[in-house]
Amino acid sequence: MTEAVLLVGGKGTRLQPLTINTPKPMVPAAGVPFLAHQLARARAAGVDHVVLATSYLAEVFEPYFGDGSAHGLRLTYVTEDEPLGTGGAIRHAARALTSGPSDPVLVLNGDILTGLDIRGLLLRHERAQADVTLHLTRVASPGAYGLVPTDADGRVLAFTEKPQRPEEIVTDQINAGCYAFRREVIDAIPGDRPVSVERETFPGLLADGALLHGVVDASYWLDVGRPASFVQASADLVRGVVRSPAVPGEPGEHLVLPGARIEPGARIGGGTVVGSGAHIAAGADVQGSVVLDGARIEADARVRASMVGSRARVGPRTVLDGAVIGDHSRIGADNELREGARIWCGTAIPDAAIRFSAV
Ligand code: GTP
């Protein structure tokens, strides 16, 4: 049996306003909650029991995912009274695991989309007889992440979380948010206070001489914690750039969910998903975007790389480019909202009120 802990308790502040009423893992990507893709990938890798470590808006997960049987998994929910951070949450969730002390336990951040060969990571973990094995990926701008240099054998040499000085950037390998832990290593994490696995547990293990092994993998990887990357992830899932068994349809340039209405003369593409009950009017052009359930895009609006919240309305001829429109917002006609613009849930913007703004 292979068990996994999935960390889904963060507040998702970088993804606000989408995460005001919905925890980040439940925000839909390619037509289903983002978490559904992670569960499907875990199952495909042979995981049969997943413990969801919940905290923020914990109550919304179980009504959707239930006991997991519809997803081919057994799901257990463990909720923290107070957020315990990534390490504390792993330790807290471990109470629901049945693995023995030497067994490997997979741990996944709830906001990563990756094509990683999870089974391969577990094999490398066993082969290295490591205490913890980390998935590492290479990025062009590593400064915003946790850096993890390794030696020629893959042994981790250091952890530098979000380096402040240029000379600290000694590698382009970053912590990709997927780990195999030996069970007893989890049990040694303090259970009574918040702990960061990245800032405390991993550096502490290294200082104590533990064997931390890094597996550098070049497959698809995206941290969906920011709006632009979340929209990108959804589009990549729709287009099949990264494959997920949970996408409700075949790969293509768009995904239109049952009950959506696309008027003749509207154009949708670039991996756009149109949610159930949403309406795209004639002449509208929607590319590489997420249009959630019940939203309306009016005539001749142009929407690119944006997220339109559920039941939001985008007025005629309005332009969205890299914008996030909160649920139930109403954007009047002839507005222009570009890179970084975020409209809070339920906001009303009159006609022609905003031109080219990062709100
Ligand atoms: P930001 O607020 O935008 O940074 O997002 P976040 O709250 O998700 O934090 P971060 O991206 O650092 O978290 C990485 C992963 O750990 C995500 O999957 C979070 O859901 C999860 N996580 C972070 N803190 C906690 C916590 O206190 N408890 C639990 N159960 N999960 C957590």
Side-chain angles (χ1 to χ4, degrees), residues 6-15 24-25 52-56 78 80 82-86 88-90 108-112 162 198 223 225:
L6 239 156
L7 297 173
V8 293
K11 285 193 75 176
T13 45
R14 289 168 299 157
L15 210 54
K24 182 163 51 177
L52 290 178
T54 66
S55 173
Y56 177 65
V78 177
E80 296 139 49
E82 298 291 329
L84 288 173
T86 46
I90 298 168
L108 303 169
N109 275 3
D111 53 1
I112 299 296
K162 299 193 178 67
E198 302 86 355
D223 171 353

Side-chain angles (χ1 to χ4, degrees), residues 136-149 159-176 221 223:
L136 308 179
T137 191
R138 292 199 159 97
V139 292
S141 307
Y145 299 94
L147 307 190
V148 188
F159 286 93
T160 310
E161 194 62 25
K162 299 193 178 67
Q164 304 298 314
R165 297 189 306 271
E167 61 270 25
E168 287 181 303
I169 304 180
V170 295
T171 178
D172 60 356
Q173 296 175 185
I174 62 153
N175 174 358
W221 183 87
D223 171 353

